Amino acid sequence: MGAQESIPKDAPAQMHHYYSKFMRECPSGMLSLHEFKRLLDLQGLDPQGELYIKRVFEIFDLNHDGFIDFLEFIAAINLVIRGKIDQKLKWYFKLYDADGNGCIDKKELLSIFAAIQAINGYTSMTAEEFTNMIFQKIDVNGDG
């Protein structure tokens, strides 16, 4: 009992709200990548931004069928809203580790920073400059 998380009292109402919103945006019940980008107003991005959004979509598509169904949508919402820090960190690591080898190399980090920069328009530092700065601080053993 004590070790289990309790279900919030407003969970059924929230679930109904999210279900209604999901079905309003996606009447088929299956959210495609195109609909996902439209829902987040992330259309017409440069190639780096497109790759990042596609990667986010693929990670939320838990059964890898090319669509996000309602259960996958709720799992994503739950992670973003109620997820514990370690769950979020694991998700971000999975997002950044594009080749799935268990390490984030400089190329993967550069790709992510370039995509984020393309999406939000931040330009005071190039993605490469930012990547170099971050890598200099976090690659303490110098293995790349």
Side-chain angles (χ1 to χ4, degrees):
M1 255 191 248
Q4 293 180 350
E5 290 184 41
S6 61
I7 297 173
K9 292 178 183 174
D10 64 341
Q14 283 183 332
M15 189 69 70
H16 179 72
H17 167 76
Y18 286 127
Y19 182 75
S20 297
K21 183 175 175 103
F22 183 83
M23 292 309 290
R24 197 171 37 252
E25 295 293 331
C26 186
S28 71
M30 303 295 278
L31 189 64
S32 69
L33 175 60
H34 175 74
E35 292 166 322
F36 182 72
K37 289 190 290 190
R38 189 188 75 228
L39 184 69
L40 297 175
D41 196 26
L42 294 171
Q43 298 165 313
L45 298 173
D46 73 359
Q48 286 297 119
E50 289 288 336
L51 282 173
Y52 180 74
I53 296 305
K54 185 175 188 248
R55 181 89 176 118
V56 170
F57 181 86
E58 289 169 350
I59 292 173
F60 285 149
D61 178 16
L62 299 174
N63 65 0
H64 308 292
D65 66 353
F67 297 94
I68 296 175
D69 63 27
F70 181 67
L71 291 177
E72 292 166 330
F73 178 75
I74 287 299
I77 295 286
N78 189 55
L79 173 70
V80 171
I81 294 174
R82 292 202 173 113
K84 293 185 168 107
I85 190 70
D86 62 325
Q87 293 169 316
K88 291 178 183 183
L89 287 172
K90 285 178 186 174
W91 185 86
Y92 277 110
F93 190 89
K94 187 175 180 180
L95 175 64
Y96 289 15
D97 182 21
D99 63 9
N101 70 352
C103 298
I104 299 172
D105 61 33
K106 201 170 192 177
K107 182 181 173 190
E108 290 168 324
L109 200 58
L110 176 60
S111 175
I112 291 295
F113 290 149
I116 291 170
Q117 190 175 53
I119 291 168
N120 71 18
Y122 178 77
T123 58
S124 73
M125 186 182 289
T126 69
E128 190 166 346
E129 290 169 336
F130 189 69
T131 301
N132 289 336
M133 180 188 73
I134 294 296
F135 241 78
Q136 184 179 11
K137 293 178 188 245
I138 64 174
D139 186 18
V140 292
N141 66 358
D143 67 354

